[in-house]
RNA sequence: GGUCCCGUCGUCUAGUGGUUAGGAUAUCUGGUUCUCAUCCAGAAGAUCGCGGGUUCGAAUCCCGCCGGGAUCACCA
């Protein structure tokens, strides 16, 4: 039974980088009907951010990365919050002490800092074990507890990175338990993954250089290491640095709020560094579960390109039934639409669906259906066809339009007939006549096809707006 | 500085000794009786980081170099 976990620390919101490791872990579990576990790594109470645990949970849920075991849903391997597991770490720490593989750190933080600066000055990597005390005091909890490492060569396989190896020079005596009584990540995650029977550890690249140290500890603990997979970082839009909150890495919930579809987000994030070897570009969640494999995950970091995300999201939006899409749009309509009847909004949505990239674009794409936009003569003076006509000609054309449309029943079919008739009678090119009518009835930068737009607006509103436009032009 | 990882169109990528180096996106052009978008057609865009080697033949294998990244916390 495959068991994977996502083990974030509740220190802030979840951004795309975090989501991706969660997604990959979820996919690995789900494709074999395995178990996906959420574990909160809250061992640093200084960095803990109020409310972020709930935020993490909300983010996973909204993306559909449902976990089978976790702090709020329980499970047979709990507790799922590290701060509730302190006695478990104590138990394993005592085993190490008894085996002579852990000892109390007698130095003050200042003294250790001095060692570190010395090493830096000599351009050497800092190794605590070079200062390992001969006769450490008995550990009473007032000192950090350190791992007594056994420096050696480590070779291991990483599902993404392949075969890796390092020499003894990277192995050090890291801290297992801090003076506040909490374990470090380095210690806690190994104990927890073992106690929770985790089979695959999927984590970000920042941990790869620590893996040999973990391997060393696994040996001392006599625990068989799980399968490991290291996924590369997602890069920010500019530069080659890991995408971080500083570079505007957005909270995934911000994308949801902007009207990106969870399915689209999942597809996009999965294909950032993974593909199935075919030319398929977007994947449903089910396809991902079926086709995903760690060994096809890219070793190099991928750049987060919001433009591509917009395209993916647009393609999901276009593929949906308008009715289904409509159920997602409730929070996105412009204020002026609040009194508009549902069928009217639904019709409007049908017209803009194919140009919609994300839901919060709805107001700018639809506002003229719900309110009279201010007359903006720039739309005419900057139009490459319309600017050639003088005001009198424009007014004449609009008056002809008024007369013709007054006869129409405003069905799309009849509107098209009337508009075509107008075209012949006025002897104008569509680029002139239709542009003018479009502008005069919407005063918007862009709008759906003319007959369809007028059909939705209806006769009264259309004729009113043309009248108003004539007034404005005079 | 030590250690480890990475390096194919702007971007995401296909590619594991023989391909006109493929796709997608973005950009540009044309078409779809008007705009924006969709859709369709087309263009441009990659000396496969660089230099050696192995080979009849290398983006693919080997070596060196360069560039980028990660890490060297009582953070995870």
């Amino acid at each position: 039974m495959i068991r994977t976990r996502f083990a974030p620390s509740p220190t802030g919101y979840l951004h795309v980088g975090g989501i991706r490791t969660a997604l990959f872990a979820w996919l690995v579990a789900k494709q074999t009907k395995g178990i996906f576990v959420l574990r909160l790594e809250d061992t640093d109470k200084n960095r803990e951010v109020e409310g972020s645990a709930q935020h993490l949970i909300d983010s996973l849920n909204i993306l559909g990365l449902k976990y089978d075991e976790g702090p709020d849903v329980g499970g047979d391997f709990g507790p799922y919050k590290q701060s509730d597991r302190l006695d478990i770490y104590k138990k394993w720490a005592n085993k190490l002490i008894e085996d002579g593989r852990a000892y109390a750190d007698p130095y003050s933080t200042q003294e250790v800092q001095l060692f570190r600066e010395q090493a830096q000055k000599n351009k050497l990597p800092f190794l605590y074990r070079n200062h390992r005390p001969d006769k450490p005091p008995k550990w009473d909890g007032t000192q950090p507890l350190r791992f007594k490492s056994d420096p050696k060569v480590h070779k291991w396989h990483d599902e993404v990175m392949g075969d890796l190896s390092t020499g003894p020079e990277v192995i050090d005596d890291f801290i297992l338990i801090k003076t506040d009584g909490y374990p470090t990540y380095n210690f806690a995650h190994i104990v927890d993954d073992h106690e929770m029977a985790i089979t695959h550890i999927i984590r970000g690249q920042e941990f790869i250089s620590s893996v040999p140290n973990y391997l060393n500890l696994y040996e001392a603990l006599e625990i068989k290491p799980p399968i490991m997979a290291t996924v590369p970082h997602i890069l920010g839009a500019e530069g080659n640095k890991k995408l971080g909150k500083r570079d505007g890495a957005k909270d995934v919930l911000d994308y949801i709020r902007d009207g990106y579809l969870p399915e689209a987000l999942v597809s996009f994030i999965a294909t950032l560094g993974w593909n199935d070897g075919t030319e398929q570009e977007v994947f449903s969640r089910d396809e991902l579960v079926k086709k995903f494999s760690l060994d096809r995950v890219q070793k190099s970091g991928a750049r987060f390109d919001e433009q591509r995300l917009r395209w993916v999201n647009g393609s999901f939006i276009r593929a949906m039934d308008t009715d289904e899409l409509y159920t997602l749009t409730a929070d996105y309509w412009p204020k002026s639409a609040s009194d508009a009847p549902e069928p009217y909004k639904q019709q409007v949505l049908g017209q803009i669906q194919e140009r919609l990239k994300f839901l919060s674009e709805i107001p700018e794409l639809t506002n003229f259906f719900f309110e009279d936009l201010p007359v903006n003569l720039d739309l005419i003076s900057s139009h490459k066809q319309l600017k050639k006509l003088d005001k009198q000609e424009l007014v004449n054309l609009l008056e002809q339009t008024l007369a013709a449309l007054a006869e129409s029943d405003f069905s799309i079919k009849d509107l098209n007939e009337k508009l075509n008739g107008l075209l012949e009678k006025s002897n104008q090119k569509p680029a002139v006549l239709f542009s003018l009518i479009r502008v005069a009835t919407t005063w918007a930068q862009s709008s759906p096809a003319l007959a369809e737009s007028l059909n939705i607006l209806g006769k009264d509103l259309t004729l009113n707006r043309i009248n108003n436009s004539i007034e404005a032009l005079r």
Side-chain angles (χ1 to χ4, degrees):
Chain A
M1 166 70 90
I2 287 184
R3 294 173 56 87
T4 66
R5 46 73 160 178
F6 178 53
S9 57
T11 53
Y13 58 79
L14 198 49
H15 60 79
V16 285
I19 277 293
R20 193 169 63 150
T21 51
L23 172 60
F24 287 179
W26 181 81
L27 287 170
V28 167
K30 291 302 126 188
Q31 61 190 186
T32 58
K33 298 215 184 336
I35 299 294
F36 178 56
V37 177
L38 174 65
R39 182 176 71 225
L40 253 23
E41 312 230 316
D42 59 340
T43 56
D44 183 354
K45 29 187 215 316
N46 296 323
R47 292 205 318 151
E48 194 159 337
V49 173
E50 176 80 30
S52 60
Q54 190 55 45
H55 195 105
L56 250 23
I57 287 171
D58 292 344
S59 301
L60 291 175
N61 284 335
I62 207 155
L63 289 177
L65 308 183
K66 194 174 169 304
Y67 42 91
D68 307 286
E69 300 173 16
D72 56 333
V73 299
D76 296 339
F77 297 82
Y80 293 92
K81 222 170 96 177
Q82 288 185 326
S83 57
D84 292 337
R85 302 173 61 80
L86 264 25
D87 41 345
I88 299 175
Y89 308 125
K90 199 62 90 33
K91 189 187 82 193
W92 285 90
N94 281 331
K95 170 181 158 62
L96 286 172
I97 292 171
E98 280 163 28
D99 294 349
R101 295 305 305 274
Y103 61 93
D105 175 351
Y107 301 110
S108 68
T109 43
Q110 290 82 0
E111 286 171 309
V112 176
Q113 183 56 24
L114 223 56
F115 296 151
R116 200 187 329 274
E117 282 163 14
Q118 248 170 47
Q120 252 161 27
K121 211 164 63 190
N122 299 326
K123 302 212 168 196
L124 291 169
F126 170 64
L127 283 175
Y128 179 94
R129 63 174 156 86
N130 290 339
H131 309 277
R132 187 190 284 169
D134 292 331
K135 283 209 162 135
K138 185 171 161 45
W139 184 57
D140 61 10
T142 64
Q143 320 94 328
L145 184 70
R146 284 202 183 251
F147 173 50
K148 188 175 180 185
S149 64
D150 173 22
K152 61 198 281 195
V153 168
H154 283 285
K155 294 182 199 296
W156 75 100
H157 181 77
D158 184 289
E159 290 293 299
V160 172
M161 293 299 175
D163 291 322
L164 303 172
S165 64
T166 52
E169 68 278 0
V170 301
I171 304 297
D172 198 14
D173 291 4
F174 56 89
I175 290 178
L176 302 168
I177 301 205
K178 301 180 274 183
T179 48
D180 63 4
Y182 284 86
T184 58
Y185 165 84
N186 300 330
F187 180 47
H189 90 274
I190 287 178
V191 167
D192 289 338
D193 286 336
H194 176 252
E195 294 258 349
M196 294 181 179
I198 299 300
T199 57
H200 293 62
I201 299 180
I202 294 151
R203 82 230 297 184
Q205 207 188 49
E206 65 270 29
F207 293 104
I208 200 166
S209 51
S210 305
V211 168
N213 276 297
Y214 302 154
L215 260 16
N216 212 268
L217 180 56
Y218 277 115
E219 286 183 8
L221 254 16
E222 296 172 296
I223 291 174
K224 182 172 175 287
I227 294 167
M228 303 204 192
T230 303
V231 305
H233 285 139
I234 294 178
L235 278 26
E238 280 162 38
N240 289 313
K241 288 251 165 77
K242 160 188 171 187
L243 181 71
K245 293 169 188 177
R246 284 244 160 128
D247 332 286
K250 281 206 276 181
D251 182 344
V252 275
L253 291 184
D254 281 338
Y255 285 103
I256 298 293
R257 277 189 280 271
D258 282 347
Y260 287 91
L261 273 25
E263 281 250 319
L265 237 20
V266 163
S267 175
F268 176 71
I269 290 170
T271 54
L272 217 50
W274 174 86
N275 70 84
D276 69 343
T278 72
E279 288 180 350
Q280 185 168 351
E281 303 284 343
V282 297
F283 298 84
S284 70
R285 204 188 307 266
D286 289 343
E287 285 176 314
L288 248 20
V289 168
K290 233 174 263 152
K291 297 176 175 178
F292 182 79
S293 71
L294 284 172
D295 58 12
R296 285 199 64 88
V297 173
Q298 208 77 10
K299 290 185 190 174
S300 54
R303 185 163 263 106
F304 185 83
D305 181 5
E306 244 187 73
Q307 214 153 32
R308 193 174 166 87
L309 172 61
R310 277 197 281 276
W311 169 74
V312 171
N313 202 54
S315 80
F316 272 91
I317 286 177
R318 270 174 260 129
M320 286 177 92
D321 285 342
T322 306
D323 292 352
E324 196 190 346
L325 180 62
Y326 183 73
T327 63
L328 305 177
T329 60
D331 297 335
Y332 296 93
W333 292 97
K335 278 201 194 73
S336 50
S338 55
D339 296 329
E342 302 275 307
Y344 185 81
K345 288 198 281 188
Q346 226 167 116
Q347 254 186 311
V348 169
L349 183 64
Q351 285 304 315
I352 60 146
Q353 182 170 1
E354 69 183 21
R355 68 206 71 201
L356 198 57
K357 295 285 190 282
F358 48 94
L359 268 23
S360 59
E361 278 184 321
I362 289 178
E364 60 182 281
L365 257 25
T366 65
N367 53 4
F368 65 88
F369 281 114
F370 304 102
E371 61 190 292
D372 293 345
L373 296 188
V375 168
N376 175 8
L377 295 178
D378 287 351
L379 289 179
I380 290 177
S381 60
S382 65
H383 188 108
K384 60 181 190 291
Q385 300 287 346
L386 295 181
K387 68 179 176 192
K388 295 175 190 163
L389 305 188
D390 64 34
K391 284 194 172 176
Q392 190 51 50
E393 290 173 292
L394 295 173
V395 168
N396 283 344
L397 282 173
L398 286 177
E399 281 177 339
Q400 286 182 52
T401 306
L402 213 47
L405 293 185
E407 304 295 311
S408 175
D409 64 7
F410 269 67
S411 66
I412 290 173
K413 180 166 174 286
D414 187 60
L415 278 165
N416 274 319
E417 278 170 24
K418 295 289 187 296
L419 289 169
N420 280 326
L422 212 47
L423 213 46
E424 275 178 42
K425 209 157 76 188
S426 66
N427 205 19
Q428 281 290 353
K429 289 182 294 188
V432 173
L433 182 67
F434 291 172
S435 293
L436 177 61
I437 300 174
R438 201 188 66 73
V439 167
T441 52
T442 65
W443 293 103
Q445 288 286 348
S446 67
S447 64
L450 189 51
E452 281 74 3
S453 295
L454 299 185
N455 166 259
I456 292 175
L457 286 171
K459 192 166 187 170
D460 292 350
L461 202 47
T462 300
L463 299 185
N464 256 333
R465 285 187 181 179
I466 294 177
N467 264 320
N468 290 342
S469 300
I470 291 173
E471 289 307 310
L473 281 165
R474 276 207 171 108

